[in-house]
Amino acid sequence: MYSRLRFTIYEVHTSPPGNDACKAPKDSVVLSAYSTMDLVDKDPDEDDPWNLPELQDTGLKWSELDAKGKVMRVLTSIVKFILLVGFLYMFVCSLDVLSSAFQLVGGKAAGDIFQDNAVLSNPVAGLVIGVLVTVLVQSSSTSSSIVVSMVSSGLLEVQSAVPVIMGANIGTSVTNTIVAMMQAGDRNEFRRAFAGATVHDFFNWLSVLILLPLEAATGVLYKLTKIVIDSFNIQGGDNAPDLLNVITDPLTSAIIELDKTVISDIATGDPAARNKSLIKIWCKTEKITTLLNITVPSAANCTTGVPCWEEGNKTWTQINATETINLERCNHIFAYANLPDLAVGLILLALSLLILCTCLILIVKLLNSMLKGQVAVVIKKVLNTDFPFPFGWVTGYIAILVGAGMTFIVQSSSVFTSAITPLVGIGVISLERAYPLTLGSNIGTTTTAILAAMAAPGETLANSLQIALCHFFFNIAGILLWYPIPFTRIPIRLARALGNRTANYRWFAAIYLLLCFFLMPLTILGLSLAGWQALVGVAVPIVVLAIFIIIVNLMQTRCPRYLPSRLRNWDFLPRPLHSMAPWDGVVMSGMAFCGTRCCCCCKCCQKTEDEEKGGKERKKSQEMYDNPALTRDDEPLEAPKETVKATQL
């Protein structure tokens, strides 16, 4: 009985043979509980959230499936692929409708902005006007075509149009930034997606900071493109290829069709265009030219080569009168709706944003479901693996060519960059690989503009082509500045830092979007209208302060010993000036107030989140309680007492 009891006590209070914990002294501290808590609390992604997640196959292997299972897997994969293509099609169509909606809401305002030629003569004002107009119409090709129309009509010089083209290059990156905000549900996905989108922004802004002052001082882009135009006898060609629109037009044309010449007419000063609607009502028209007899004050007013005669006391001549005859009415949804452009634009804006968000969420879920096992391994290796040494440096330039080719096919840098943004978010494409793809996309959109310019009439061909070449050489110069040498790939580091910030404070993404694409351009435009003295007086102190902060931050991280003790950190400043935490508290308080006062569903969401959080805490507590090592630490005295009592029995 005694030996049996002793065996039971041994079974309860000793570890299995071979465990070194048995050999530990009686008073030693067992650290197993602490390591277990680290494993429970620690998120594997917290080591380096920029590492691409492993897309593992959680299902059965192909070899383990029976015939029915194999057939079902093949059918399921086919259905998922068809759904993915369908959602991608709807995603691209929603981007097209979104562009039309923005043009209906702000198109005429964009034409009015372009009409002020005195403002466009200021390079800084021209830059921010290009940004604002492209954001308003959601299309760099539309804003570029307006600039081409103004140059062709003689209202704007080519040299004054170059900063506007630079601004259009910046404004076109707003679309994929908006798309990235749709992935704010998952912190790490949002971190990667927002960085993948804003690397385009940083490339454009940094290129402008270097090339705009250089262009204003030397006119290097204007002179270079002038040499190219004068050196080659370039003839007009066919219209630019219309590859993607052939696929999307059947759906988008059934929703809305726009007469984009109205914006160009407003910009070129046509007073009749202000009363026209952007919504196209008649899709098939015919122009008939007839000779009309009119009276003129005298024979001196008659045009040479045109019949001119006197009849009675009047002098008559003939002119050509062109009349437009409407033949066929459009069949889109709003062709018969008697609504103003603003109302239609707001309806389409809400509809397109809803479809865009829905399609993007479903695309991400389908990709997460499809990219598993060997498929994920192959795709990630193809997209993210460099060529073997010593040709690894070639990989990035191949990615640039791929980005240019894909953008040329879809004819829109916004569509291409918006398509790869969710792929960066879910971890299929790394940020380092997305960067050259984005640079190639910038080149691809300029080649389409060059082909479109070559289709211009002979008298406007030179100016149109020169502007398109300015856009092309601007992006080439930016790539030479920020890509060939790895140390100069500053946009990647800035985008990664912004991704970390927005992952911690997700509301900051909306602040960034408003600041970079609306508030800052509007402020610079207002200062430009006030005069260069006001612009320099405000901008120079801000630039000097920004440079000082950047230098101090770099020295704080790399060589703090060279700084005065007070500048080795920013703790001497009020906390809201060097930390986002106080602002985060304000924003969260405001959202909580809105949730309690304005939205009942917010309470439900908050309650669900609290329940999930409480469940996780209970799970962690249970895991900690079930750990034998932790029990031994927490109750070191009870076991010996029980052992003594049992032994006495």
Side-chain angles (χ1 to χ4, degrees), residues 111-425:
D112 290 332
I113 292 174
F114 269 129
Q115 193 175 5
D116 195 344
N117 302 325
V119 177
L120 291 175
S121 61
N122 183 339
V124 178
L127 173 76
V128 295
I129 284 175
V131 175
L132 290 172
V133 170
T134 307
V135 170
L136 283 175
V137 300
Q138 282 287 289
S139 172
S140 60
S141 59
T142 300
S143 55
S144 299
S145 65
I146 295 173
V147 176
V148 171
S149 300
M150 295 182 68
V151 173
S152 301
S153 60
L155 295 177
L156 186 64
E157 296 181 356
V158 174
Q159 198 162 3
S160 300
V162 174
V164 184
I165 294 296
M166 293 183 182
N169 210 59
I170 294 174
T172 192
S173 61
V174 69
T175 307
N176 59 326
T177 309
I178 294 174
V179 169
M181 295 181 67
M182 303 300 114
Q183 289 181 266
D186 183 271
R187 190 178 298 275
N188 278 335
E189 279 191 13
F190 186 47
R191 185 196 313 272
R192 291 187 291 264
F194 202 76
T198 54
V199 74
H200 194 187
D201 304 346
F202 285 118
F203 169 78
N204 288 327
W205 280 110
L206 289 173
S207 299
V208 164
L209 287 176
I210 301 296
L211 296 176
L212 180 62
L214 184 64
E215 175 66 22
T218 64
V220 58
L221 291 177
Y222 172 77
K223 293 177 181 178
L224 180 61
T225 53
K226 184 68 174 175
I227 291 173
V228 173
I229 294 295
D230 294 340
S231 300
F232 297 95
N233 184 21
I234 302 175
Q235 302 295 329
D238 297 329
N239 289 328
D242 202 16
L243 303 177
L244 185 66
N245 290 342
V246 172
I247 304 173
T248 59
D249 271 352
L251 179 60
T252 56
S253 298
I255 298 174
I256 190 68
E257 287 190 67
L258 299 184
D259 185 4
K260 298 181 181 180
T261 59
V262 174
I263 304 176
S264 300
D265 292 340
I266 293 175
T268 53
D270 185 2
R274 294 183 177 278
N275 298 324
K276 293 182 180 178
S277 173
L278 279 169
I279 303 173
K280 187 181 289 187
I281 304 299
W282 299 94
C283 288
K284 188 176 181 180
T285 60
E286 183 179 357
K287 291 184 178 181
I288 300 177
T289 302
T290 57
L291 285 174
L292 294 181
N293 297 332
I294 61 170
T295 59
V296 292
S298 63
N301 299 107
C302 295
T303 305
T304 304
V306 176
C308 187
W309 69 94
E310 292 185 1
E311 185 176 332
N313 295 328
K314 297 181 179 179
T315 303
W316 293 82
T317 187
Q318 291 182 336
I319 61 169
N320 290 324
T322 302
E323 182 182 4
T324 301
I325 299 177
N326 299 321
L327 299 178
E328 184 178 344
R329 200 178 181 94
C330 297
N331 294 321
H332 58 84
I333 297 175
F334 298 96
Y336 296 91
N338 190 17
L339 293 173
D341 288 0
L342 180 61
V344 175
L346 293 176
I347 293 172
L348 290 178
L349 185 64
L351 177 66
S352 59
L353 284 175
L354 176 63
I355 296 175
L356 187 146
C357 297
T358 304
C359 289
L360 184 61
I361 293 171
L362 294 174
I363 286 171
V364 170
K365 289 186 177 296
L366 273 176
L367 287 174
N368 280 325
S369 174
M370 296 173 65
L371 297 177
K372 294 179 179 180
Q374 293 301 116
V375 177
V377 172
V378 171
I379 292 177
K380 290 175 70 174
K381 281 186 176 180
V382 170
L383 293 176
N384 301 304
T385 303
D386 294 336
F387 286 111
F389 181 83
F391 303 105
W393 60 274
V394 180
T395 312
Y397 296 97
I398 298 295
I400 291 176
L401 294 177
V402 170
M406 293 299 296
T407 304
F408 179 78
I409 291 174
V410 302
Q411 292 190 60
S412 173
S413 60
S414 298
V415 170
F416 178 72
T417 54
S418 299
I420 67 173
T421 295
L423 296 178
V424 177

Side-chain angles (χ1 to χ4, degrees), residues 479-508:
I479 291 174
L480 293 177
L481 282 172
W482 310 116
Y483 188 76
I485 305 174
F487 176 77
T488 62
R489 295 172 189 175
I490 301 175
I492 295 179
R493 295 197 291 271
L494 293 176
R496 185 177 282 113
L498 182 61
N500 288 330
R501 179 58 56 92
T502 52
N504 294 328
Y505 309 103
R506 285 177 243 193
W507 51 267
F508 186 74

Side-chain angles (χ1 to χ4, degrees), residues 352-612:
S352 59
L353 284 175
L354 176 63
I355 296 175
L356 187 146
C357 297
T358 304
C359 289
L360 184 61
I361 293 171
L362 294 174
I363 286 171
V364 170
K365 289 186 177 296
L366 273 176
L367 287 174
N368 280 325
S369 174
M370 296 173 65
L371 297 177
K372 294 179 179 180
Q374 293 301 116
V375 177
V377 172
V378 171
I379 292 177
K380 290 175 70 174
K381 281 186 176 180
V382 170
L383 293 176
N384 301 304
T385 303
D386 294 336
F387 286 111
F389 181 83
F391 303 105
W393 60 274
V394 180
T395 312
Y397 296 97
I398 298 295
I400 291 176
L401 294 177
V402 170
M406 293 299 296
T407 304
F408 179 78
I409 291 174
V410 302
Q411 292 190 60
S412 173
S413 60
S414 298
V415 170
F416 178 72
T417 54
S418 299
I420 67 173
T421 295
L423 296 178
V424 177
I426 65 175
V428 177
I429 301 177
S430 66
L431 180 61
E432 287 73 15
R433 184 64 71 241
Y435 181 52
L437 289 172
T438 300
L439 301 187
S441 178
N442 276 352
I443 296 177
T445 192
T446 60
T447 56
T448 305
I450 291 173
L451 290 176
M454 292 181 67
E459 63 274 9
T460 62
L461 173 62
N463 289 338
S464 303
L465 190 56
Q466 188 174 358
I467 293 173
L469 287 177
C470 285
H471 196 184
F472 176 75
F473 283 116
F474 167 75
N475 284 299
I476 293 294
I479 291 174
L480 293 177
L481 282 172
W482 310 116
Y483 188 76
I485 305 174
F487 176 77
T488 62
R489 295 172 189 175
I490 301 175
I492 295 179
R493 295 197 291 271
L494 293 176
R496 185 177 282 113
L498 182 61
N500 288 330
R501 179 58 56 92
T502 52
N504 294 328
Y505 309 103
R506 285 177 243 193
W507 51 267
F508 186 74
I511 300 296
Y512 166 83
L513 196 65
L514 292 174
L515 182 65
C516 284
F517 294 102
F518 293 99
L519 297 181
M520 189 168 69
L522 285 173
T523 303
I524 296 175
L525 179 61
L527 292 173
S528 301
L529 295 175
W532 67 269
Q533 296 90 345
L535 179 61
V536 171
V538 174
V540 169
I542 295 176
V543 171
V544 171
L545 180 62
I547 294 174
F548 172 76
I549 293 173
I550 292 172
I551 293 174
V552 172
N553 279 331
L554 291 175
M555 294 183 68
Q556 284 177 351
T557 56
R558 298 186 179 183
C559 48
R561 62 183 181 277
Y562 294 111
L563 287 172
S565 58
R566 190 172 181 82
L567 287 179
R568 291 178 183 176
N569 55 59
W570 299 107
D571 293 341
F572 66 92
L573 293 174
R575 195 158 179 256
L577 294 181
H578 66 88
S579 174
M580 298 292 293
W583 300 105
D584 184 61
V586 173
V587 173
M588 293 297 104
S589 299
M591 294 177 66
F593 177 81
C594 178
T596 55
R597 299 288 182 180
C598 308
C599 181
C600 296
C601 63
C602 293
K603 298 180 182 178
C604 300
C605 297
Q606 185 177 5
K607 183 178 179 182
T608 305
E609 291 178 357
D610 292 341
E611 290 176 354
E612 291 179 355

